[in-house]
Amino acid sequence: MPSVLLEWNPDLPDPWPGGYGPAVAAVDDGGTFRRRIPLIAGFPPVAGTEVWLVLRGSMRGLRGLVGHGVVVPPGSGDTADAVTVDFDRLLPLGEQVPASLLEEDVPNLPRVDGAASVPSASVPALRRLWSGFLGADPDPLSPAPGTIAAEASGLQRVNAYEHNAEARRLCLAFHGNCCAACGLVPAQRYGPGTEALMQVHHVVPGTDLPADYALDPASDLVPLCPTCHAVAHTRVPVPYTPAEVRGLLAAAPDAASRAVGADAVVVGSLVSAEQQQALDDAARLRGLR
């Protein structure tokens, strides 16, 4: 699907229904903000088109990348002279990706005069810049809008990302159901019925893949257990590789020994009354006592 840069000048009358601030708040709550935009040259009215909102303000500092959205199919009553965009990420004014970073990190971006198409070769760099600027979300396995192509995941209405099940199946058939970082085999550790716990990880970050990339599950994906997968994605925009996660695991015993304090529970230590109470409460909640 195409990607376009859409210009917005906040010095002009506010085109956001209810104001831009409430739109930012609505998106921050995990939703989207729908806005009708008049058709202009360079803005293809194709459902699925990715929209990058670019600020152009006369005030110093109000320039840069401020939002991301997707064109949605027209609904009943929509006119042909406008297009509907669901914005899924909006940054507060003053917190946008600076224009200087766009110019430095994303090659061949066109000059925006209303709207302009993003060259397909520039899209991976744009995603990487956007991802690195946003940083890791509380759930590092839920990609922030704009960090991967829409074709790479399906967004459910509950805001859960569903990955390609067939690609996962082929990856595990080729590599086996063993974590490439820690070596965990769920069925050996936890017993039968736990094979579905294994996840798969992109060897090449999704931010670097062009929209028309054809995924090879055997060479592009590797198995990672849920814990190692989450750890890999705590670094953005380029996640840790399985080898780097293994390095973190190898260094963990020394780090743990330095971090152990008087209140830490380790093998052979006495459990405090508060810690024992917490264990008892958890057991009762699980119905074990």
Side-chain angles (χ1 to χ4, degrees), residues 37-245:
I37 298 172
L39 278 181
I40 53 178
F43 195 163
V46 179
T49 296
E50 199 167 33
V51 179
W52 299 92
L53 189 64
V54 179
L55 282 176
R56 187 194 70 176
S58 60
M59 294 176 61
R60 184 177 181 183
L62 282 184
R63 299 178 69 88
L65 187 63
V66 75
H68 175 271
V70 177
V71 174
V72 299
S76 60
D78 286 347
T79 58
D81 60 348
V83 64
T84 302
V85 177
D86 274 355
F87 286 95
D88 45 28
R89 194 62 183 256
L90 294 170
L91 304 180
L93 295 181
E95 298 182 16
Q96 67 274 2
V97 181
S100 58
L101 284 182
L102 281 174
E103 296 170 359
E104 293 173 6
D105 294 2
V106 186
N108 302 320
L109 272 186
R111 179 179 178 84
V112 185
D113 186 12
S117 295
V118 181
S120 58
S122 299
V123 172
L126 182 58
R127 293 196 197 284
R128 179 182 285 226
L129 173 62
W130 180 248
S131 174
F133 191 83
L134 295 179
D137 282 347
D139 180 0
L141 296 184
S142 294
T147 58
I148 62 173
E151 295 84 356
S153 63
L155 179 62
Q156 307 299 310
R157 295 313 301 170
V158 294
N159 289 339
Y161 285 85
E162 182 181 72
H163 297 275
N164 189 311
E166 179 63 9
R168 174 186 178 276
R169 185 189 70 80
L170 292 174
C171 170
L172 297 183
F174 182 84
H175 293 285
N177 204 38
C178 175
C179 178
C182 71
L184 173 71
V185 179
Q188 292 180 1
R189 177 70 61 84
Y190 302 107
T194 59
E195 295 84 359
L197 293 176
M198 189 62 67
Q199 300 175 357
V200 296
H201 175 71
H202 283 268
V203 175
V204 177
T207 54
D208 292 346
L209 297 178
D212 57 353
Y213 182 78
L215 182 75
D216 182 347
S219 60
D220 294 338
L221 302 175
V222 293
L224 286 182
C225 71
T227 299
C228 289
H229 198 189
V231 169
H233 282 275
T234 58
R235 187 174 74 180
V236 291
V238 181
Y240 291 111
T241 65
E244 288 174 319
V245 176

